[in-house]
C-alpha cells in the first residue's frame, strides 16, 4: 500500500488551493487524497451483512435459476404445436410440480400441467397460463394469437450465469444484494471491517444530557446528530461525549481517540478567534490544516491526521453550530467516510427542482439551504426553503427533506428557476 501523503503534498497537487477560501470542490478533492480505505477483512454471516461493504468480487458459483422453469401455473407445451389461425388442441399427459423434475417424455400434440417454478419438461419451451386455456377432460384448448413460442418460460441463468461476476468489491450490501448472494447459496461474505469513528464535542458551554441547565450553556445536540449520521452510514461509533476545554483533557481525548479509531470527528472550537484549546491541541498532536471554506453554513473546518503510536486517524474538526455540523458532514465527511469504508459509492445524483421562492445568493461560495421538495399540481418537482436558515436552527433540518445546493458561481435565484437539491435519503 502506498504511504499516506502529507497535507502539504496534497495541497501542492491541488490547483488553486487556498486554505483561507477553499471551494467545496477543493475540500472533496483534498479529502479524497487524504483518506485511505480500511483494508482489513471480516467474514460475516449473510444475515449480519446488511449495510456492509463487499471486500471481494463475487463470481456466481451456480446459475440462477439453475434450470429452465415455468413463470406461471398452466400448461407446458411445444411452441411449434401452436396454431396461428385456430385453437390448438393438446392432450395433458402429466403434472410437473415445483421441486421435482417430471420424468416423462412428451410427444407432439401433448402438454403437461405445470406449476410456477417447476422445471420445464424435456422438449417443451412454452407455458400457456391456465387463465388463457379451456380445459375439457384431458384436453386443453389454447386460443390462437395469445401466445408465442418461449412465453412464460424462465431461462437457466437469466438472473445470474455460473462463472459471471455477480457483485463487485466495494458494493454496499443492500437488502437486494443480500438476497442475490443468498440466491447463490453463499452463507458468508467477505466484507471490509467497519471503520471506527470516534466523536466528541468541545466547548465549555456544552451540557451533557442529564446535567442541570445553567445560564449561557446549551445541551449537546451535535453528539446525537453525528452519532446518527455516522451509524446510518454503517461505521462503528466510539462515543466520547463532551470533552472539557482544558489542555490535559483534550490531549487525553485526542490520544484515546487516535489509539482506537480510524477517524475522529469533533465539533466546536475551530472558528477564528476561538479562545479555547482545541485548535492548539490538534496542531500539537497532528498534521492538521485549518480551513475557511467558501460555503454557508459551516465556514471553519480542521482536517488532518492524528497519530498515536503506529496508528493514524483522519481528523474532521467540524464547526460547532448544529446545522453547520450536519451540512459539513453531508457535503464532506460523508463521502470521505464512504471512501474509508471501501464503499465505491455511486455518485449521489442531485435532483433538479423549481424554486418556489426568490433566493438571495452571492457568487463565490457554495450555499446549502434547507429545502422541502414536493410535486406541484402539474407534476413538477418544486422546492421551498424551510424559512429561518440560521446555522443553529435544528428544527429546520427536521422539517427539510433535502438541501438546496447553490453552487460556487451561482447568483440570485428567481421564482421558477431550477436549483439542485441533495436529498436526505434517511442519512440525515
Ligand atoms: P464554536 O464553533 O465552538 O464557535 O460554536 C459555534 C456555536 O455552536 C456556539 O453557539 C456553540 O454554543 C454551538 N455549539 C457548539 N458545540 C455544540 C454542541 N455540541 N451542541 C450544540 N451546540 C453547539
Ligand atoms: Mg466554541
Amino acid at each position: 500500500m502506498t504511504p499516506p501523503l502529507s497535507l502539504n503534498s496534497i495541497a501542492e497537487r491541488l490547483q488553486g488551493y487556498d486554505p483561507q477560501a477553499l471551494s467545496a470542490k477543493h475540500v472533496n478533492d483534498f479529502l479524497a487524497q487524504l483518506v485511505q480505505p480500511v483494508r482489513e477483512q471480516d467474514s460475516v454471516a449473510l444475515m449480519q451483512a446488511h449495510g456492509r461493504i463487499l471486500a471481494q468480487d463475487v463470481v456466481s458459483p451456480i446459475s440462477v435459476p439453475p434450470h429452465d422453469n415455468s413463470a406461471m401455473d398452466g400448461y407446458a407445451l411445444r411452441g411449434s404445436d401452436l396454431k396461428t389461425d385456430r385453437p390448438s388442441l393438446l392432450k395433458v399427459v402429466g403434472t410437473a410440480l415445483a421441486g421435482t423434475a417430471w420424468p416423462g417424455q412428451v410427444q407432439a400434440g401433448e402438454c403437461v400441467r405445470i406449476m410456477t417454478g417447476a422445471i420445464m419438461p424435456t422438449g417443451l419451451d412454452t407455458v400457456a397460463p391456465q387463465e388463457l386455456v379451456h380445459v375439457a377432460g384431458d384436453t386443453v384448448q389454447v386460443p390462437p394469437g395469445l401466445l408465442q413460442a418461449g412465453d412464460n418460460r424462465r431461462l437457466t441463468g437469466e438472473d445470474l450465469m455460473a462463472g459471471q461476476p455477480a457483485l463487485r468489491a466495494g458494493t454496499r450490501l443492500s437488502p437486494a444484494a443480500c438476497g442475490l448472494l443468498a440466491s447463490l447459496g453463499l452463507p458468508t461474505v467477505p466484507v471490509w471491517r467497519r471503520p471506527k469513528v470516534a466523536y466528541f464535542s468541545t466547548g465549555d458551554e456544552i451540557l451533557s444530557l442529564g446535567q442541570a441547565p445553567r445560564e449561557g450553556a446549551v445541551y449537546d445536540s451535535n453528539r446525537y446528530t453525528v452519532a446518527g449520521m455516522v451509524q446510518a452510514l454503517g461505521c462503528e461509533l466510539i462515543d466520547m461525549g463532551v470533552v472539557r476545554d482544558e489542555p490535559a483533557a483534550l490531549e487525553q481525548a485526542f490520544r484515546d481517540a487516535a489509539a482506537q479509531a480510524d477517524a475522529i470527528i469533533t465539533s466546536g472550537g475551530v472558528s477564528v478567534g476561538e479562545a479555547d484549546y482545541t485548535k492548539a491541541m490538534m496542531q500539537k498532536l497532528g498534521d492538521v490544516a485549518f480551513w475557511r471554506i467558501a460555503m454557508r453554513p459551516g465556514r471553519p473546518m480542521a482536517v488532518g491526521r492524528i497519530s498515536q503510536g503506529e496508528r493514524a486517524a483522519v481528523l474532521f474538526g467540524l464547526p460547532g453550530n448544529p446545522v453547520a455540523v450536519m451540512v459539513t458532514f453531508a457535503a464532506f465527511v460523508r463521502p470521505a467516510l464512504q471512501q474509508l469504508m471501501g464503499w465505491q459509492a455511486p455518485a449521489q445524483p442531485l435532483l433538479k427542482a423549481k424554486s418556489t421562492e426568490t433566493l438571495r445568493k452571492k457568487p463565490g461560495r457554495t450555499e446549502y439551504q434547507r429545502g422541502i421538495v414536493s410535486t406541484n399540481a402539474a407534476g413538477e418537482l418544486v422546492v421551498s426553503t424551510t424559512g429561518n436558515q440560521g446555522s443553529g436552527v435544528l428544527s429546520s433540518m427536521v422539517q427539510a427533506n433535502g438541501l438546496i445546493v447553490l453552487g460556487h458561481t451561482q447568483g440570485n435565484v428567481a421564482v421558477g428557476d431550477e436549483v439542485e437539491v441533495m436529498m436526505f435519503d434517511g442519512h440525515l
Side-chain angles (χ1 to χ4, degrees):
M1 194 158 66
T2 47
L5 295 167
S6 70
L7 297 204
N8 272 337
S9 60
I10 297 174
E12 278 165 14
R13 292 165 167 218
L14 286 184
Q15 284 269 313
Y17 172 84
D18 173 4
Q20 290 305 304
L22 271 187
S23 68
K25 165 115 179 42
H26 270 123
V27 173
N28 289 129
D29 291 349
F30 193 107
L31 292 177
Q33 296 194 49
L34 179 74
V35 172
Q36 296 205 310
V38 168
R39 281 295 177 240
E40 292 156 44
Q41 289 187 25
D42 292 338
S43 174
V44 296
L46 192 52
M47 195 52 87
Q48 268 70 53
H50 176 239
R52 301 295 298 268
I53 310 300
L54 196 60
Q56 293 169 25
D57 291 350
V58 173
V59 171
S60 301
I62 56 173
S63 292
V64 181
H67 332 269
D68 289 7
N69 69 90
S70 176
M72 305 284 276
D73 292 341
Y75 295 86
L77 50 88
R78 265 189 195 80
S80 56
D81 278 344
L82 290 170
K83 312 272 187 285
T84 52
D85 53 346
R86 63 205 137 94
S88 316
L89 293 174
L90 300 165
K91 181 170 180 242
V92 184
V93 296
T95 300
L97 300 173
T100 42
W102 185 72
Q105 289 293 320
V106 186
Q107 308 303 318
E110 296 179 344
C111 69
V112 173
R113 172 134 177 78
I114 195 164
M115 302 303 153
T116 305
I119 300 175
M120 292 293 286
T122 312
L124 306 187
D125 56 10
T126 306
V127 174
Q130 61 191 19
E131 306 77 35
L132 227 69
V133 305
H134 310 289
V135 186
D138 65 354
T139 303
V140 166
Q141 208 187 87
V142 187
L146 299 179
L147 205 60
Q148 291 192 345
D151 280 358
N152 305 310
R153 173 187 49 163
R154 302 176 184 142
L155 294 174
T156 303
E158 73 176 23
D159 189 357
L160 294 164
M161 199 55 98
Q164 283 184 351
L167 290 174
R168 293 288 181 194
T171 301
R172 178 177 228 214
L173 296 174
S174 62
C178 290
L180 190 96
L181 293 172
S183 75
L184 297 175
L186 300 173
T188 57
V189 273
V191 294
W192 295 121
R193 172 172 73 71
R194 295 195 303 159
K196 294 186 183 134
V197 179
Y199 171 78
F200 56 88
S201 304
T202 70
D204 276 349
E205 81 281 28
I206 309 304
L207 290 175
S208 293
L209 302 191
Q211 291 185 309
R214 62 180 155 77
E215 198 176 40
V218 294
Y219 282 110
D220 183 6
S221 55
N222 293 343
R223 178 182 184 182
Y224 297 86
T225 54
V226 172
M229 293 186 293
V230 164
Q231 292 175 111
L233 259 184
C235 296
E236 199 177 301
L237 178 76
I238 302 174
D239 170 25
M240 298 176 67
V242 181
V243 175
R244 288 186 318 283
D245 188 22
E246 290 168 7
L250 283 165
E251 176 158 2
Q252 192 61 49
F254 277 117
R255 289 194 188 281
D256 284 352
Q260 313 169 56
D262 303 290
I264 305 170
I265 302 176
T266 62
S267 76
V270 293
S271 15
V272 186
E274 279 284 341
D276 59 26
Y277 295 105
T278 306
K279 279 165 91 173
M281 196 50 67
M282 289 176 176
Q283 205 136 36
K284 175 178 164 191
L285 299 178
D287 181 15
V288 179
F290 295 92
W291 290 339
R292 283 161 67 92
I293 306 169
M295 71 184 290
R296 211 162 94 148
R299 209 140 59 116
M301 185 170 164
V303 156
R305 267 192 212 98
I306 293 189
S307 307
Q308 179 64 23
E310 297 284 275
R311 301 184 50 97
V314 190
L315 171 72
F316 304 96
L318 305 184
N321 275 311
V323 176
V325 165
M326 297 196 75
V327 169
T328 47
F329 188 98
F332 309 130
V333 181
R334 181 165 67 170
L337 290 183
Q338 287 174 340
Q339 186 170 325
L340 188 66
M341 295 165 79
W343 182 2
Q344 307 278 334
Q348 194 197 9
L350 296 181
L351 289 187
K352 284 213 159 76
K354 286 188 174 171
S355 179
T356 62
E357 305 163 33
T358 56
L359 302 174
R360 295 183 49 144
K361 162 70 171 61
K362 273 200 225 155
R365 67 184 185 203
T366 304
E367 283 192 20
Y368 302 83
Q369 302 207 2
R370 283 138 264 172
I372 302 173
V373 177
S374 60
T375 319
N376 68 11
E380 300 167 320
L381 280 186
V382 292
V383 63
S384 51
T385 64
T386 55
N388 188 343
Q389 297 289 314
S391 59
V393 183
L394 259 191
S395 52
S396 63
M397 278 303 277
V398 177
Q399 286 163 33
N401 60 7
L403 288 173
I404 303 171
V405 184
L406 302 175
H408 196 79
T409 54
Q410 169 139 23
N412 292 335
V413 173
V415 173
D417 283 357
E418 276 201 331
V419 291
E420 292 191 314
V421 185
M422 178 197 288
M423 295 303 287
F424 285 169
D425 292 338
H427 283 293
L428 292 175

